[in-house]
Amino acid sequence: MSIQRLDKSNDSNDIDIKKTEEKPLNKYSQQEKAIASLAYIGPLFVVPFFVGQQTEFTQFHGQQGFKVFLVESLLIVTSWFPVIGPLAWYLNIMLFLAAAGYGIFSVWKEEQRQLPYLDQINI
């Protein structure tokens, strides 16, 4: 935060101090953010590994997307079982929406946050 001093007149008693916010520079390009966002949409987790520049930012989100894809795949397989199938299916939908939303939100905020509970999966 920087402070600017604005003199309204030549009299030293009439000084107005205005606080201005400094905007941080965008660290990543729009293309990098778009590529990293695709990682959270099912099998598109491979996109950050093969398309565009392979930066640490896109690689991180590609790995996170892979973790989400693994868990979603396991839940899809368990949804075939008669008793637990419907529960696994709804859990899969909720997980996908929550993880994709959280991941894409962190991409556009230019953060590298680990997804809760999935951070224990090491790739």
Side-chain angles (χ1 to χ4, degrees):
M1 180 181 292
S2 66
I3 299 176
Q4 292 179 339
R5 183 174 166 181
L6 303 172
D7 291 329
K8 291 186 175 182
S9 67
N10 291 338
D11 189 11
S12 63
N13 294 333
D14 293 334
I15 297 175
D16 183 23
I17 297 179
K18 178 183 174 185
K19 294 182 180 178
T20 59
E21 292 289 327
E22 292 179 8
K23 292 184 179 180
L25 297 175
N26 290 337
K27 292 190 256 181
Y28 307 105
S29 68
Q30 295 292 330
Q31 182 183 12
E32 285 178 298
K33 291 180 193 178
I35 289 171
S37 295
L38 289 176
Y40 293 98
I41 302 174
L44 295 179
F45 73 88
V46 298
V47 171
F49 297 117
F50 298 111
V51 176
Q53 299 175 353
Q54 280 83 34
T55 63
E56 179 184 342
F57 181 71
T58 57
Q59 297 292 311
F60 173 81
H61 289 288
Q63 290 175 353
Q64 292 290 101
F66 178 63
K67 292 177 185 180
V68 171
F69 180 73
L70 281 178
V71 174
E72 287 175 0
S73 299
L74 290 174
L75 286 173
I76 286 174
V77 169
T78 58
S79 70
W80 294 337
F81 295 112
V83 177
I84 60 171
L87 176 64
W89 183 253
Y90 290 118
L91 185 61
N92 190 16
I93 291 170
M94 290 177 18
L95 172 73
F96 169 73
L97 292 175
Y102 185 82
I104 292 170
F105 181 74
S106 68
V107 165
W108 289 97
K109 285 186 68 176
E110 297 184 353
E111 297 175 348
Q112 294 184 7
R113 292 189 205 169
Q114 293 282 339
L115 290 168
Y117 305 108
L118 297 180
D119 59 347
Q120 299 169 357
I121 300 173
N122 293 323
I123 300 174

